[in-house]
Amino acid sequence: MPGKVARVPTRLSQLFVRTLREDPADAEVASHRLLVRAGYIRRQAPGVFAWLPLGLKVRRKIEAIIREEMANAGAQEVHFPALLPREPYEVTNRWTDYGDGIFRLKDRKGADYLLAPTHEEVFTLLVKDLYSSYKDLPLSIYQIQDKYRDEARPRAGLLRGREFTMKDAYSFDYTDAGLDESYQRQRDAYERIFARLGLDYVIVEADAGAMGGSRSEEFLHPTPVGEDTFVRSNGGYAANVEAFRTIAPESRSYEKLTPAEVLDTPNTPTIQTLVDVANEKHPRPDGRAWTAADTLKNIVLALTALDGTRELVVVGLPGDRDVDLKRAEVAFAPAEVEAATEADFQKHPGLVKGYIGPWTAAGPVLGIRSETGIRFLLDPRVSDGSGWITGANEHGKHVFGLVAGRDFEADGVVEVAEVLAGDPAPDGSGPVELARGMEIGHVFQLGRKYAEALGLKVLDENGKLVTVTMGSYGIGVTRILAVIAEANNDSRGLIWPRNVSPFDVHVVAATKEPEVHAAAEKLVAEFEDARFDVLFDDRPKVSPGVKFGDAELIGVPVIVIVGKGIAEGRVELWDRRTGVKTPVGIGEVVDAVAALA
RNA sequence: CGGGGCGUAGCUCAGCUUGGUAGAGCGCUCGGUUUGGGACCGAGAGGCCGCAGGUUCGAAUCCUGUCGCCCCGACCA
């Protein structure tokens, strides 16, 4: 039998930590506030944090869980530099595509480097270096590494920093079926990781974006501080709003519809004023009231392409909906999207602000074959045969009963309208509800884009050169830590789930009596012998109130108070989460804590 | 990048309107008392009042500029 490994409990009197009595002035969200206050992290620069011993311990716990599950998923760990040369990113255009989003630097010779925001390129190149046969595949490799993004606005402490730690994994297969399998293994691993971390999550369809991938899902933790909006239906559909697809109504015949008619609608530059005036002056023949959904709103957007060229496009959508700029960014990626400015309107006198529409009696106004030549794209709800009230391109006038397909045609369909609660899920699983979430993981079938660009090919069974297909799988380690803190706290401090708590048990010597300290020392040694990682508040001259307060702040879920009960051989087992304190005989407390696990 | 707010002690802040040369609480050090919910008494250490110009006999305070930080929005894992 090997002897006991000598372990040393962490004594609060020695621990490099300083708890703060008050909230730091620059912290807003709970996780940021409490992690700083309890001495886990310190701000170093905007969005950049130093890690103190307590914070590091939690990080390591999270990383250990991730490493175990990566191993279970058959992924091997490697480690790339954070500092990388420009060239690989040049090949895939990301040196420019990333724009201001990356930290760039030069060495003394003037050569360009970057602090990697993500590592697809170098992983791909390394595999290309070493492997050339299908027999080497499939391969999954990952690293836990710091990433750098020059965020326009870092915020909320660890939730959106400029330096953050991510586990990023990459899979390499030579068949699509292989990629599906690798993807599924990572996806399964993520489910196990989040389960072990005790984190709520929703898997949502994500936008595959300009990367041309075939499948992409995000793991979102539902929380009001989340920056993603997602939808879900009772029938099981879930998607990021950016990936939501609208069901287009069936085309209708417009044989029997009455012709369009231009009517006076004075002072109606907004949808609401238009609806009011329409009901007042031009009521619908069948008596039903006009609503915003009967109007076709034409919004002018300005797109700026990567090369800087600016193009106006008009999008037509039902008047009861606004443009969702995030969805617009996705729809027009990689161009940047903003609302058209006053200057844009001045360049196009054909656009009568407030009364824009696709049609006049003289001919089409919008669309590439029109007099303005401005691209005109329609929301899927504006299907052939649907009739609308829309601008007549003249101040104070709208055209009623303008029918899509009969009276006007668009250059295409576009998904830029906001998604509203109650909209039908595209898979027919019922109406959706909206919620906020924080992205904590992302699994993504990259396909062959990177392998193609970087020339990663292998010989297959037939001796034929085939391009490898890849997947990319990310989990934000430091973000997860913050999200856990965000989801597990109360007014007094943090409350860690046992799996990630910096310590297994926090022993407080609650009075200054020598007998109490001696008993606490003895108990701590017993915990150590039983392989518990113990935080021991041995501070000799600190009052009990301060110790209790610090224990609550630091958030170890199991606290043992050694104090005045010691005369009767009793200590208290304190459940941080419920606040319940239970008297326990000092001889039974180690077993009692073990039983909690 | 647009809007708002703030830079004074390690931390949280007051002082600025009405200029006179720096304060409180907490924390820290020393001595004493106290001891199960953030104790008390006494004595201390600690600040180019973000930076630079200007006005003035005199600027934390007024003026100009500048830098930085935080929050909301845009953007983003």
Side-chain angles (χ1 to χ4, degrees), chain A residues 64-354:
Chain A
I65 289 172
I66 292 173
R67 286 197 167 94
E68 284 176 27
E69 296 302 341
M70 282 300 107
N72 283 339
Q76 302 174 59
E77 184 169 9
V78 297
H79 195 79
F80 279 87
L83 177 67
L84 292 171
R86 163 181 180 162
E87 286 71 28
Y89 291 83
E90 190 70 37
V91 176
T92 52
N93 280 328
R94 289 166 100 184
W95 177 261
T96 39
D97 286 5
Y98 250 108
D100 292 331
I102 50 176
F103 283 103
R104 300 155 201 270
L105 56 161
K106 286 182 189 294
D107 70 5
R108 61 174 73 205
K109 291 183 274 186
D112 285 315
Y113 283 81
L114 57 80
L115 294 177
T118 174
H119 283 79
E120 277 83 2
E121 284 84 352
V122 285
F123 267 81
T124 308
L125 286 171
L126 184 68
V127 174
K128 180 187 174 185
D129 253 4
L130 298 177
Y131 278 8
S132 49
S133 161
Y134 76 96
K135 292 178 189 165
D136 297 322
L137 304 182
L139 171 71
S140 284
I141 47 183
Y142 77 98
Q143 66 172 344
I144 293 177
Q145 168 66 304
D146 294 333
K147 309 286 181 190
Y148 297 84
R149 295 191 193 169
D150 189 0
E151 292 292 339
R153 183 154 96 82
R155 71 180 80 183
L158 259 24
L159 287 173
R160 168 157 303 283
R162 294 193 298 171
E163 178 187 80
F164 55 96
T165 305
M166 244 178 89
K167 184 251 26 173
D168 49 324
Y170 305 87
S171 68
F172 301 85
D173 285 275
Y174 70 107
T175 63
D176 291 345
L179 171 57
D180 284 342
E181 215 169 287
S182 297
Y183 178 93
Q184 193 61 41
R185 286 168 74 142
Q186 283 285 327
R187 193 180 187 277
D188 291 345
Y190 280 27
E191 297 217 56
R192 290 194 300 267
I193 289 167
F194 294 128
R196 289 178 64 179
L197 293 171
L199 261 185
D200 270 351
Y201 64 92
V202 181
I203 302 178
V204 305
E205 281 178 31
D207 173 61
M211 294 179 111
S214 50
R215 190 171 181 203
S216 173
E217 290 170 295
E218 289 169 345
F219 288 71
L220 299 185
H221 171 73
T223 163
V225 302
E227 51 196 357
D228 283 286
T229 306
F230 68 98
V231 299
R232 54 181 158 185
S233 73
N234 282 333
Y237 174 81
N240 193 304
V241 277
E242 293 169 22
F244 182 85
R245 291 293 163 260
T246 305
I247 310 171
E250 293 285 306
S251 306
R252 276 163 284 175
S253 154
Y254 36 75
E255 298 300 317
K256 285 177 242 156
L257 296 175
T258 52
E261 155 177 51
V262 176
L263 297 171
D264 282 329
T265 52
N267 300 317
T268 53
T270 65
I271 294 295
Q272 190 51 52
T273 51
L274 171 61
V275 170
D276 291 346
V277 167
N279 278 320
E280 187 187 320
K281 302 186 66 162
H282 314 292
R284 188 145 46 184
D286 65 10
R288 286 181 301 137
W290 296 114
T291 69
D294 297 313
T295 69
L296 176 65
K297 175 156 73 176
N298 299 294
I299 303 288
V300 187
L301 298 175
L303 310 184
T304 308
L306 286 175
D307 64 8
T309 53
R310 192 177 174 89
E311 179 202 358
L312 291 192
V313 329
V314 175
V315 297
L317 55 154
D320 59 340
R321 282 171 202 265
D322 286 324
V323 169
D324 179 329
L325 274 177
K326 283 191 178 182
R327 279 164 60 72
E329 291 278 350
V330 169
F332 294 114
E336 280 183 30
V337 183
E338 60 181 326
T341 62
E342 212 42 61
D344 290 319
F345 277 101
Q346 274 163 24
K347 277 185 217 149
H348 293 274
L351 299 176
V352 185
K353 217 177 162 185

Side-chain angles (χ1 to χ4, degrees), chain A residues 217-554:
Chain A
E217 290 170 295
E218 289 169 345
F219 288 71
L220 299 185
H221 171 73
T223 163
V225 302
E227 51 196 357
D228 283 286
T229 306
F230 68 98
V231 299
R232 54 181 158 185
S233 73
N234 282 333
Y237 174 81
N240 193 304
V241 277
E242 293 169 22
F244 182 85
R245 291 293 163 260
T246 305
I247 310 171
E250 293 285 306
S251 306
R252 276 163 284 175
S253 154
Y254 36 75
E255 298 300 317
K256 285 177 242 156
L257 296 175
T258 52
E261 155 177 51
V262 176
L263 297 171
D264 282 329
T265 52
N267 300 317
T268 53
T270 65
I271 294 295
Q272 190 51 52
T273 51
L274 171 61
V275 170
D276 291 346
V277 167
N279 278 320
E280 187 187 320
K281 302 186 66 162
H282 314 292
R284 188 145 46 184
D286 65 10
R288 286 181 301 137
W290 296 114
T291 69
D294 297 313
T295 69
L296 176 65
K297 175 156 73 176
N298 299 294
I299 303 288
V300 187
L301 298 175
L303 310 184
T304 308
L306 286 175
D307 64 8
T309 53
R310 192 177 174 89
E311 179 202 358
L312 291 192
V313 329
V314 175
V315 297
L317 55 154
D320 59 340
R321 282 171 202 265
D322 286 324
V323 169
D324 179 329
L325 274 177
K326 283 191 178 182
R327 279 164 60 72
E329 291 278 350
V330 169
F332 294 114
E336 280 183 30
V337 183
E338 60 181 326
T341 62
E342 212 42 61
D344 290 319
F345 277 101
Q346 274 163 24
K347 277 185 217 149
H348 293 274
L351 299 176
V352 185
K353 217 177 162 185
Y355 300 92
I356 296 168
W359 176 93
T360 65
V365 173
L366 299 171
I368 46 178
R369 291 189 307 279
S370 70
E371 58 174 51
T372 59
I374 296 175
R375 268 205 291 158
F376 180 50
L377 302 168
L378 284 173
D379 185 86
R381 294 172 193 81
V382 189
S383 56
D384 273 6
S386 58
W388 303 89
I389 303 174
T390 193
N393 298 296
E394 215 180 314
H395 247 278
K397 286 186 195 299
H398 280 86
V399 50
F400 285 61
L402 196 72
V403 174
R406 182 190 71 183
D407 302 321
F408 65 99
E409 256 180 275
D411 301 312
V413 173
V414 75
E415 286 269 9
V416 298
E418 64 185 333
V419 179
L420 298 176
D423 284 350
D427 65 354
S429 62
V432 299
E433 55 168 16
L434 280 86
R436 301 280 286 175
M438 176 63 68
E439 183 175 349
I440 51 178
H442 195 161
V443 289
F444 192 174
Q445 294 195 355
L446 290 175
R448 296 187 169 81
K449 171 183 162 143
Y450 287 90
E452 194 77 62
L454 296 161
L456 172 58
K457 295 172 199 283
V458 295
L459 289 172
D460 70 8
E461 299 93 324
N462 307 312
K464 228 179 66 194
L465 218 43
V466 294
T467 300
V468 167
T469 182
M470 294 170 54
S472 147
Y473 317 94
I475 279 192
V477 174
T478 45
R479 174 177 280 186
I480 281 174
L481 188 151
V483 167
I484 293 172
E486 197 68 41
N488 296 280
N489 68 75
D490 61 19
S491 62
R492 295 166 180 274
L494 297 161
I495 310 171
W496 293 106
R498 297 181 63 99
N499 282 353
V500 297
S501 172
F503 293 93
D504 300 321
V505 58
H506 184 155
V507 175
V508 176
T511 79
K512 287 168 190 155
E513 313 302 327
E515 312 80 66
V516 164
H517 275 258
E521 289 280 359
K522 190 158 163 278
L523 179 59
V524 166
E526 284 172 28
F527 272 120
E528 290 287 332
D529 288 346
R531 300 306 173 117
F532 283 93
D533 194 8
V534 184
L535 177 62
F536 177 27
D537 195 344
D538 62 332
R539 293 175 294 179
K541 287 183 176 167
V542 174
S543 69
V546 172
K547 290 185 174 181
F548 294 157
D550 280 348
E552 286 168 313
L553 227 201
I554 290 169

